[in-house]
Amino acid sequence: QVQLVESGGGLVQAGGSLRVSCTASGSSFSIAAMGWYRQAPGNQRDVVATISGSSNANYADSVKGRFTISRDNVKNTVLLQMNSLKPEDTAVYYCYANVRAPLWARGDYWGQGTQVTVSS
């Protein structure tokens, strides 16, 4: 069974920093894309940043220059460093992973979500 276990998040003042991390646990997996999405109350879930297996990163325009995504392919971990946080970054942040191997585990997986709240 594939589980994405998230940690980090919390409450921070505007202009501050937070880091969220996510690890795929349960077995040894080959993971293609990983990423972070977020969902604010009343809104749809939107992409924040994604990173390929070769560490090519893409960001939503709203977070470019402030957020940095990285991954450790040995530990199957993806990190999101969030700097210069704004109140509009407040949301539940979800980790995502596209598992390629083993065959029984192939598919898309989501973490349980972690709350990030930025106060003004």
Side-chain angles (χ1 to χ4, degrees):
Q1 183 178 1
V2 180
Q3 287 187 319
L4 299 183
V5 180
E6 300 168 355
S7 62
L11 173 64
V12 67
Q13 289 188 331
S17 299
L18 283 174
R19 187 176 75 169
V20 289
S21 63
C22 172
T23 299
S25 65
S27 184
S28 297
F29 304 110
S30 175
I31 300 178
M34 300 187 81
W36 290 94
Y37 289 67
R38 67 187 181 187
Q39 187 169 18
N43 292 351
Q44 65 182 17
R45 187 176 298 186
D46 292 324
V47 62
V48 176
T50 60
I51 186 166
S52 71
S54 56
S55 293
N56 290 317
N58 288 284
Y59 298 92
D61 287 342
S62 59
V63 306
K64 283 181 180 177
R66 299 188 297 122
F67 291 10
T68 302
I69 190 170
S70 61
R71 65 186 287 173
D72 182 328
N73 290 334
V74 174
K75 298 179 180 179
N76 281 334
T77 296
V78 61
L79 303 174
L80 184 69
Q81 177 66 42
M82 302 179 286
N83 299 328
S84 302
L85 282 160
K86 305 175 180 180
E88 51 263 44
D89 294 318
T90 296
V92 177
Y93 284 68
Y94 295 92
C95 172
Y96 161 83
N98 175 242
V99 175
R100 293 297 184 88
L103 188 60
W104 63 264
R106 293 190 72 174
D108 296 329
Y109 295 87
W110 295 90
Q112 79 281 4
T114 185
Q115 179 69 46
V116 171
T117 302
V118 185
S119 63
S120 58

